[in-house]
Amino acid sequence: GTMVQRRKLEEEDFRGTQFVNHTLDLKGNNDILSVTRPDIISDIHEQYLAAGADIIETNTFSGTSIAQLDYGLQAYDEVFRINKEGAQLAKAACVKFTAQNPDKPRFAAGAIGPTNRTLSVSPSVENPAYRATTFDEVVKAYYEQCEGLVAGGVDMFLVETIFDTLNAKAALFAIDKFFEDKGTKIPVFVSGTIVDKSGRTLSGQTNEAFWISVSHAKPMAVGLNCALGAKDMYEYVKNLAKCCDAYVFCYPNAGLPNAMGGYDDTPAQMAADCTPFAADGLINGIGGCCGTGPEHIKALHDVVAAPHKPRDVPVVENLFRTSGLEPFIYQPDPQDHRKTFINIGERCNIAGSILYKKAIVAGDYDKALAIAKKQVEQGAHMLDVNMDDGLIDAVPAMTRFVNLLVSEPDTAKVPFMIDSSKFFVVEAGLKCSQGKCIVNSISLKEGEEAFIQNARIVKRYGASVVVMAFDEHGQAATEAEKVSMCQRAYKILVEKVGFNPQDIVFDPNILTIGTGMEEHNNYAVDFIRATREIKRVCPGSKISGGVSNIAFSFRGNDAVRRAFHSSFLHHACAAGLDMGIVNAEHCIHDVYEKIDKELLMYVEDVLLNKCSNATERILQYAATLEPKCTPTAVRKKGVSAEALSGEKVTTWRELPVEQRLAHSLIKGIDEFVVNDTEEARKASERPLHVIEGPLMDGMNQVGDLFGAGKMFLPQVIKSARVMKKAVAHLIPFMEAEKEAARLAGTADPNARSDSGCFLIATVKGDVHDIGKNIVAVVLGCNNYRVIDMGVMQKCSDILDRAILEKADIIGLSGLITPSLDEMVTVAKEMEKRGMKLPLLVGGATTSRMHTAVKVGPQYTNTVVHVLDASRAVPVCQALLDEKKRADFELDIKDQYTELREDFYASLEDRKYLTLPEARAKGPKTDWKLPENQPHKPAMLGSRVFKDFPIEDVVRAIDWNPFFQVWQLRGRYPNRGYPKIFKDETVGHEAKKLFDEANAMLQSFIDKKALSLTGIIGIYPCNSVGDDIEVYTDETRETKKCTFYTLRQQAEKDTLEPYMALSDFIAPKETGVQDYMGMFVVSAGFGLDKITEEYKAQNDDYSYIMAEAIADRLAEAFAEVLHEKMRKEDWGYSQEENMSTEDLLKVKYQGIRPAPGYPSQPDHTEKSTMWDLMDVKKEIGVELTESLAMLPAASVSAMVFGGKCSQYFTVGKITDDQVKSYAERKNMDLAETEKWLGSTLSYEP
C-alpha cells in the first residue's frame, strides 16, 4: 500500500482496460491493480526483494468477496482472479530472485486481511446483538480467497492485521477446511493488531488472549503488525514471545502516523527501534507495514536481521488455557485444588436459573444479560450458556445471547462454556465468540464415528471440550464405568483427533444423592474416587461437573443444599476436581471451614455414605431449619434473625444523584438509570438540563478514561447505550414541555425533539466503516438523529444529502491515507458552496495536526478533529449550543493556529529550498510606501531602569503559565485565567493558589524583597542581505556590530514568503534609514535570598511559588518596557491604548523575538546584544557558558517596530545556509552546527 500510494495513481489506472465501463469507482481498490496494472505490482515486489526481503506478501489484503462488495467486484470469478493473479505476480518475483541466488530462497505469502466487517461488534445502536455479517459468510469468503491464492502458487497463508479475533478464527476455520477438502497443506502465519495504549485489539482482546484464541491452528508463526510503531510494540511482542511456542515475527509501521497521515521514521530510525526485538531474542522475523518502503526493509535486513540470532522457540508449559477478552490460564495448586477451583457460573443455564429461563422465554435478553454480568461480579471465572428447553428456539436464542455477552465487556472478559445437548446449537454459540470457548458437551452416546466427527469440528473452532461419561449403553454411574468411558474417549481424542490433553475436560456425572434410593447412596463417593483415577490414567485432562446436581433433593432448603455443595467441593477437589458449574457467589462465600459443624456432620454422613440411615437423619434435621438461612449462619425455625453488628457500608447507590448517574455511565450499569434520571429531572428546572448537566458530565468522564487507555471500545459503546436509556426516559417530558409551550403560545418554532442531525460518511475511495459505525452508535445513543451514508461517498453526494436532510453537522471518516486528501476536497467544496455547517473529521489516519494544517484552512467555518467516538458527543453538544458555540469555536481556532505554527516549525520530512531560492522568495516590501516608512526614535542609544516599581507591572502579569507550572489546567470551557477558577476539578485549588501567590507578591512589594532592573536600546541600522548592520550614529558611516539572521527553507504549500528577521529592516541600498531596538529585563535580583530562606525552613512550596512569581514578573516587566518603547522612547505607537488582554494577545504593532526562539533560534546573537548595550556592567545580568541568563528570572528580546514585521518560525534549515551563516559570523562550522543543532535538517 505504501508503494502504491507513492505512485499517485488515478481512476484510470485502477480500471485499466478490463473495467473501463465498470459502474463504481475503483480508485483505492489496490487489489485490482494485480489485474489492471501488473507492471506496477511486479515492480514493487521486486524492489522489496532487491532490498533483502525473504518473504513478500501478495497484493490481496482486501481480496475477499466481502471487501470487494464495496467496489462491485464480489463475484466469485472476480475474487478468484484478483487472488490468483496477485499470487502469480508475487510468486514469479520470488522465483526470479531465488534463481539469482539459490542460497537465499524467497517466498510468497498469501495476504488474507481482516475484511471491512467485524463479527464481534454491532453496527446497530438499537441492537447490540446484531452483526453486519455472519461467521458462515466470512468463512465462505475466506475459503474462496484461499482457492485463488493457492491456484496462484503462494508458499504460505498470512492471516494479518487482525483487529477482531473472531474474523481470524473464521479465516483459520476456512483454511483448515480448505486443507482437508483439497488434501494439501501449506504453512500458516497469523498476525494481530494492537490498536491503542490499552494493549488490546479493536474488539478488546489482549494479545495473550488473542494467541490462546488462535493457537489451535498450530500456525508456523504468529506476530503483530500495523497500528503502532516499533517502540510502542516492544512490550506486546515481548509478551507474545514469552507465551507462544511458535515462531514470532513483527512488522510495525514506520512510526506512528504523522499529522499528514504519512510516516516519519527513517530507515535508520526504524531499524534502531526494531533492533531490541532481535537483540533481546524476541523474534524470528522482522518486516515493515504502513510507511515502510524498500529502503526500510534494507535497513531492517542489514541492521536487525543479519547481525542477530533468531529467537529460540521456547517450550511453553502445557496448561489448560482459555480466553475471553482476557486470558484464563489454569495452574492448579497441587497442595490445595479447592483454592484454584474454576467457578463456572450456572445462572445462564436454563436448568440452573428459573429467572434466566423466564427471561429468555419472554425475550427479555437485557435481564438475562444482567444475570450473566452479576455472576462475573460475584466471582465466576467462566459462564455456562445453555438454551435447551422445549419453549425456546435454541439456535437464534444462543446466537443472540452470546452476541450480547460479547458486546458487554464485563461478561466478554471471561471465557464461555457453550452448553447444549444438540451439537448444532453448540456450533451456533461457537460462531459468535472470539475467545477460546469450552464446548459442553460431546460423548460416545451415538458411537465413535459421530464422536470423532464432532470432536474434529470442535477442534476446528479452537475450543476445549467437555466429554460426558456416556457411551452407547448409557450413563456412567459407578466408579468403574466412569473411568472406563473416560479412558476410552481420551484415547480417541488424543490418538485419532489430535486433541491436546489439556483441552479435554471430563464430566464423570455428578449424580444426585439423598434420594432415599439405596443405589444412589454411593454416587458422590464414586465420583470422587473416579476423579482421582481418571486424572491418573488420562494425564493432562481436567475434571468438571454440575455441582448443584449433588443436592438436587434438597432444593428449597438453602442451608442444607449449599452445605452439600461446599462439602462436596472440599472432598472432590482434594481428589482432583478442577472446575464445576456452580453458583459462583455461594461457591466463594460458603467456605468449608465455616460451615456450621452440626449441619456439616449430617451432610457428610450422606455425602460420604457413612451410614444407612443418613438420609432420614438429615431430613429430620433439615425440617428444623429456616429454609432461607445460610450454611455458615444456621438458624432454627422460630428463632428471630438478629442483624449482625457492624457499621453500615456506604455504596454508590447512596451517592448524590449526579454521581450515581456518572457511575452508571462509566460502569455501563443501566439497572437504575431510569429512576436516577427521573430523580434528577424532578430536581432540575427543565429535562434538557439533565442531559446537558450530569449525563454529559458522566460521558465526558468516559471520554477521559478512554483517552487515557483506562476504558476500551466496547465499554464506551456500553456507556453510550446507558446514556440512550436515560435520554429515552427524558424525551416524553421534553415533548410535553414543548406541547405546553405551544398551547401557551410561547413555543420556539425552531425547537426539535432530537439533539441535532449529524450526517456521517466514509469518504470516496475508502471502504472502512467500523470507526464510523461506532461514532454513529454513540451519537445515536445521545439522542442525535444520525444519517449514516456508508462508505465510498463522493463529495457532492455528501454535501447534497446534508442539505436535503437539513443536517446540523457533517462528519467525515477515513482510515487510509488518500482519504485525507478527499477530506480536504470536501472542505474546499463546502467553502465553494458557502456552507456554514461545522465539519468534523476522524479516523485512524486523521489527526488534529492534519486537520489544523490541511483541512481547516480550506473552510472558513468550524473544522474539528474528533479523536474517538467518546469525544464526538461533547463536541457536537458544544457546536449546537448557542451559549457555548462561540467560545468553543474560538478555542478550537486558537489551538489549530498554534498547531499550524508548530507544524511548519518542526516537520522534519519537508522538502527544502536552497538558500538562494529561499532568498528569492522572501517578502517583497515596498519601502517607499508611507506605511512602511520607519519612525525616527525619540532617543538613540541605551537607557537603564533600576528598581522599577513592581506595582506598575502587576497589571501585565500573564497568569496562565503560572498555573501550568503547578500543572493546573482547566477543561473547556474553563481553560485559562480567570475561567480556570470555575473549573469543577481544579477551580478551587487554582483560586487558592492564586490568592496565595498574590499574598506573596504583595509581601515582596511591601518588603522590597525583589527588584526589577532593565535596559533598553535603540540603534540606527539597515539590512544587508540576511544580516542587520548596526551603526554608531545617524551618519551610518561606521558599523558598530552586525546581527545575523536565519531564513526559512522548508517548502510551503502556499505562496507565503520565506522569511528572515532582516526582512523587517529596510535594505541599505534603498537609502531608507531604519532602526532596531532591544531590551534585557530581570526580576531575579533578591530572589536567591528569598528562596534560600524558604529552603532553610524546608518550605518547598513557598520557594517554588517565589520562583514562579519572579518569572511572571520578568515577563510582565518585559511587556511594560516594550510598551514604553513603543509609546515613548521610540514613539511609533504614541496613541496606543491597549487593555492587558489585548497586550498579552500581541495586538500591538511590531514584534519582540528573542535569540534562541523560533524567529531566531541562534542563542549566540545574545552575545552581540550584551556587548552592544554593555548589559552585564549596566544592570548585572550575565550570560552563562550556554548563554542562559543569570538571574534566571530574566527576559531579553530584539525589537522590530515596522508594520511589516511579524512572528514566524524559521524551522529546519539545510547545510548550505548553515555554511553561509558560519562564514558570515566568522564562526567555526562545527561550533555553528552545535548551537543550531535542533534547527538542522541533517545530521552533522
Side-chain angles (χ1 to χ4, degrees), residues 871-1057:
R871 307 288 178 171
V873 176
V875 170
C876 291
Q877 185 195 37
L879 288 170
L880 298 182
D881 188 325
E882 293 300 325
K883 296 178 181 178
K884 296 179 180 178
R885 179 167 178 167
D887 282 347
F888 179 77
E889 289 179 331
L890 180 62
D891 187 56
I892 291 293
K893 183 177 180 181
D894 289 346
Q895 289 181 42
Y896 286 10
T897 298
E898 291 177 14
L899 286 171
R900 279 192 290 273
E901 291 171 354
D902 291 344
F903 171 76
Y904 287 115
S906 61
L907 198 60
E908 296 185 12
D909 61 346
R910 301 294 299 277
K911 294 181 180 178
Y912 297 91
L913 276 62
T914 64
L915 182 58
E917 290 171 339
R919 285 171 173 166
K921 292 187 177 183
K924 309 300 181 191
T925 303
D926 186 347
W927 294 98
K928 295 179 182 178
L929 293 176
E931 61 265 29
N932 291 328
Q933 287 290 307
H935 181 88
K936 186 173 182 178
M939 71 151 251
L940 290 175
S942 62
R943 178 183 174 191
V944 173
F945 297 84
K946 293 283 185 73
D947 296 322
F948 195 90
I950 294 178
E951 50 268 37
D952 289 353
V953 306
V954 170
R955 66 178 177 84
I957 291 177
D958 181 359
W959 287 102
N960 287 309
F962 172 79
F963 293 116
Q964 291 166 14
V965 167
W966 297 94
Q967 299 183 11
L968 291 177
R969 295 178 181 272
R971 290 181 54 192
Y972 170 83
N974 296 317
R975 292 178 65 214
Y977 168 80
K979 292 181 180 179
I980 190 173
F981 299 148
K982 298 178 183 178
D983 188 84
E984 182 177 341
T985 304
V986 303
H988 175 75
E989 189 62 31
K991 185 62 168 70
K992 177 183 174 186
L993 188 73
F994 178 74
D995 291 342
E996 291 174 354
N998 276 279
M1000 182 178 285
L1001 177 57
Q1002 188 58 50
S1003 75
F1004 291 166
I1005 296 172
D1006 296 341
K1007 298 176 182 178
K1008 300 188 183 300
L1010 283 180
S1011 65
L1012 303 185
T1013 304
I1015 184 171
I1016 64 172
I1018 305 173
Y1019 303 94
C1021 66
N1022 282 108
S1023 64
V1024 178
D1026 288 351
D1027 304 327
I1028 302 170
E1029 292 184 349
V1030 177
Y1031 307 112
T1032 56
D1033 53 38
E1034 281 282 43
T1035 64
R1036 299 174 186 259
E1037 295 175 352
T1038 305
K1039 183 174 71 173
K1040 189 166 187 176
C1041 63
T1042 302
F1043 285 93
Y1044 301 92
T1045 72
L1046 292 163
R1047 187 171 296 279
Q1048 295 173 313
Q1049 285 185 278
E1051 187 176 64
K1052 301 184 181 185
D1053 295 332
T1054 64
L1055 297 177
E1056 291 180 16

Side-chain angles (χ1 to χ4, degrees), residues 758 809-812 823 827 837-843 846-852 855-856 859 861-868 871-872 874-876 878-879 885 888-893 895-896:
F758 186 92
I809 299 173
I810 294 175
L812 302 180
M823 291 175 180
L837 301 183
L839 175 63
L840 272 56
V841 299
T846 64
S847 66
R848 288 175 73 239
M849 185 68 83
H850 178 269
T851 305
V855 186
Y859 186 49
N861 286 287
T862 303
V863 180
V864 185
H865 174 257
V866 181
L867 180 65
D868 56 62
R871 307 288 178 171
V875 170
C876 291
L879 288 170
R885 179 167 178 167
F888 179 77
E889 289 179 331
L890 180 62
D891 187 56
I892 291 293
K893 183 177 180 181
Q895 289 181 42
Y896 286 10

Side-chain angles (χ1 to χ4, degrees), residues 1220-1240:
S1220 169
Y1221 190 71
E1223 290 171 2
R1224 300 191 327 259
K1225 286 175 71 81
N1226 195 28
M1227 181 184 286
D1228 178 71
L1229 179 60
E1231 182 75 3
T1232 304
E1233 288 176 331
K1234 184 193 81 169
W1235 285 106
L1236 297 177
S1238 63
T1239 311
L1240 304 180

Side-chain angles (χ1 to χ4, degrees), residues 43 75 116 254 339 375 418 521-522 604 728 752 769 843 875 913 995 1026 1053 1059 1149 1161 1227 1236 1244:
D43 179 60
N116 54 357
K339 182 179 178 182
Q375 288 183 93
I418 307 299
N521 290 350
N522 213 49
E604 293 197 336
R752 57 199 303 173
D769 67 351
V875 170
L913 276 62
D995 291 342
D1026 288 351
D1053 295 332
M1059 290 184 278
Q1149 179 180 319
M1227 181 184 286
L1236 297 177

Side-chain angles (χ1 to χ4, degrees), residues 675-793:
N675 289 339
D676 288 345
T677 301
E678 175 62 10
E679 182 181 336
R681 182 192 69 82
K682 290 178 177 177
S684 300
E685 184 179 345
R686 298 181 60 200
L688 181 62
H689 293 170
V690 181
I691 297 175
E692 295 177 340
L695 290 175
M696 280 311 305
D697 289 343
M699 287 304 292
N700 285 333
Q701 291 180 56
V702 169
D704 289 343
L705 291 168
F706 183 62
K710 295 178 181 178
M711 289 180 72
F712 50 98
L713 191 57
Q715 291 171 313
V716 174
I717 296 175
K718 177 181 158 192
S719 297
R721 289 189 173 119
V722 176
M723 179 74 170
K724 174 85 173 179
K725 193 169 185 178
V727 171
H729 174 73
L730 293 169
I731 286 175
F733 295 101
M734 291 192 285
E735 293 294 333
E737 183 183 64
K738 284 169 57 180
E739 178 63 15
R742 185 187 67 80
L743 294 174
T746 59
D748 180 356
N750 298 316
R752 57 199 303 173
S753 60
D754 54 46
S755 298
C757 179
F758 186 92
L759 183 139
I760 190 169
T762 300
V763 296
K764 176 184 172 184
D766 198 330
V767 298
H768 299 87
D769 67 351
I770 293 171
K772 170 184 66 62
N773 293 343
I774 292 165
V775 171
V777 167
V778 172
L779 286 171
C781 289
N782 283 271
N783 198 35
Y784 286 85
R785 183 168 71 94
V786 179
I787 309 297
D788 186 346
M789 292 185 64
V791 301
M792 293 188 61
Q793 294 298 315

Side-chain angles (χ1 to χ4, degrees), residues 432-452:
C432 301
S433 177
Q434 65 177 324
K436 180 178 179 180
C437 298
I438 306 173
V439 165
N440 188 9
S441 59
I442 62 174
S443 75
L444 287 161
K445 183 165 53 177
E446 297 176 9
E448 282 194 16
E449 185 178 348
F451 179 73
I452 291 171

